[in-house]
Amino acid sequence: MPQVFPKTSIILSSSFISGLIALTLCESAYIAEIHRGGLNSVPEAQIEAGKALGIKPLGIKTLIVIPQAIRIALPTLSNEFITIVKLTSLVSVISLTEILLVGQRLYTQNFLVLETMLAVAFYYVLIVTIFGYLIQKFENLIDINLRKPNMLKEGELLPGISTDKKLENYKEIIYEKKGDYALEAENIHKSYGSHEVLKGIDLKVKWGEVVSIIGPSGSGKTTFIRTLNGLESLNKGTVNLMGNPFLKDQILTHSSKPFKNQIIHIGMVFQNFNLFPHKTVLENVMLAPQYHKIHDKGINQLTAIAMLDKVGMKLHAKKYPHQLSGGQKQRVAIARALAMEPSIILFDEPTSALDPELVNEVLKVMAQLAEEGMTMIIVTHEMNFAFEVSDRIIFMENGHIIEQGKPSELRLSNNERFNKFINNK
């Protein structure tokens, strides 16, 4: 290097700096690849959950992706760090005084080559062992699978709050009803390449209305509700939220200001829960309200516990998602959506990933929300639930709405395809 750039000779004349630069250049590519692997290992569903909560890209990275990526990459990083410790012996070739060079100088004086090198090896083993032990302790510290949180005690809320009476004040979701409809979707088109999934869907949802969308797999149900909150981009169409423009063609997208300002008013519950595994149940529910500063931390925590109590999960507030059953996870996901005090909630097949025994506990919570007047759009295969709870049922197939109406009307429907689908179910 000094021969090409003479001025670098001043810096590189130091053996320490030369060795540091050499090791950095050698190892940085490996470490960068480990970090990249950790980041790519975080499921896309985690990012989608953050988007659905209105968290911006930087917030998603810092609050959701990076904490999980560190836990994934840490074991591999630990091995690489230990390798770096061993590789420091290579700097002896540039006369940097380190353990190996000291050993070489000693055995040239005492001629005890084997004994001296064994002593050097012992020091390396000792350093690596201590370093490995400290890294292992750190891994255990951040490993949520090793944590054994207690159940939240009855009446336990916040310091200074010891009764559940005050909790009732935070269970009611208050939102302002603007416009004639909670949500309007007009002429929604969505394609993946040459395959057209949605072929001009129109939907208007009144305040307090429960709309269930049913249909065979591949009919476009999930794609449709994912276009309503920007998780899927529109090829063509308009979505208005509370009477205001929300999404439109390629003009108003998830990057547009109207979308960013209003996304907090539309909640979503995913098929596979999409809870954040590195956070407790309470932290999952509080994350978005804290990020958006809906209220101060105390009120946000009270609201979160109230919503958990609403879905029957308050006592599990200190647990982590991996310690819950599928039905419990989905109820926490509902509480997370409710904590944002949304005007409308989208449910994407909320019971399809559950065992039959766990389905009813989730459906019971959704039925309760319907009774309270929550505006909901539900994609479901639970026919009995749809006909019992819904104000309107929509039947989709091949990207079209084939039939829709009140449950009482659809029981008398003459649509042959609809009746065949219902009877098969």
Side-chain angles (χ1 to χ4, degrees), residues 181 183-190 197-206 209 211-213 220 224-225 227-228 234 236-240 249 377 392-396 399-405:
Y181 296 95
L183 183 141
E184 301 169 83
E186 300 176 3
N187 196 30
I188 302 299
H189 287 261
K190 176 63 182 177
V197 179
L198 301 177
K199 305 171 183 178
I201 303 294
D202 294 310
L203 175 66
K204 292 184 178 181
V205 182
K206 297 178 182 178
E209 188 177 17
V211 178
S212 289
I213 303 176
F224 175 57
I225 68 164
T227 62
L228 298 181
L234 294 173
K236 184 181 178 182
T238 302
V239 178
N240 294 330
D249 302 330
I377 301 177
R392 181 163 38 125
I393 295 175
I394 293 174
F395 175 66
M396 285 183 63
H400 293 285
I401 292 179
I402 305 298
E403 181 72 297
Q404 65 174 310

Side-chain angles (χ1 to χ4, degrees), residues 378-394:
I378 307 169
V379 171
T380 183
H381 289 290
E382 300 290 336
M383 295 298 105
N384 292 334
F385 173 78
F387 274 86
E388 181 180 342
V389 174
S390 305
D391 298 303
R392 181 163 38 125
I393 295 175
I394 293 174

Side-chain angles (χ1 to χ4, degrees), residues 39 47 55-71 278-279 287 291:
L39 292 170
I47 298 174
I55 301 176
K56 296 178 181 178
L58 181 60
I60 292 174
K61 289 292 184 185
T62 56
L63 298 174
I64 300 171
V65 175
I66 292 178
Q68 295 185 54
I70 290 174
R71 286 171 169 83
H278 61 296
K279 293 187 176 294
L287 178 64
Y291 176 82

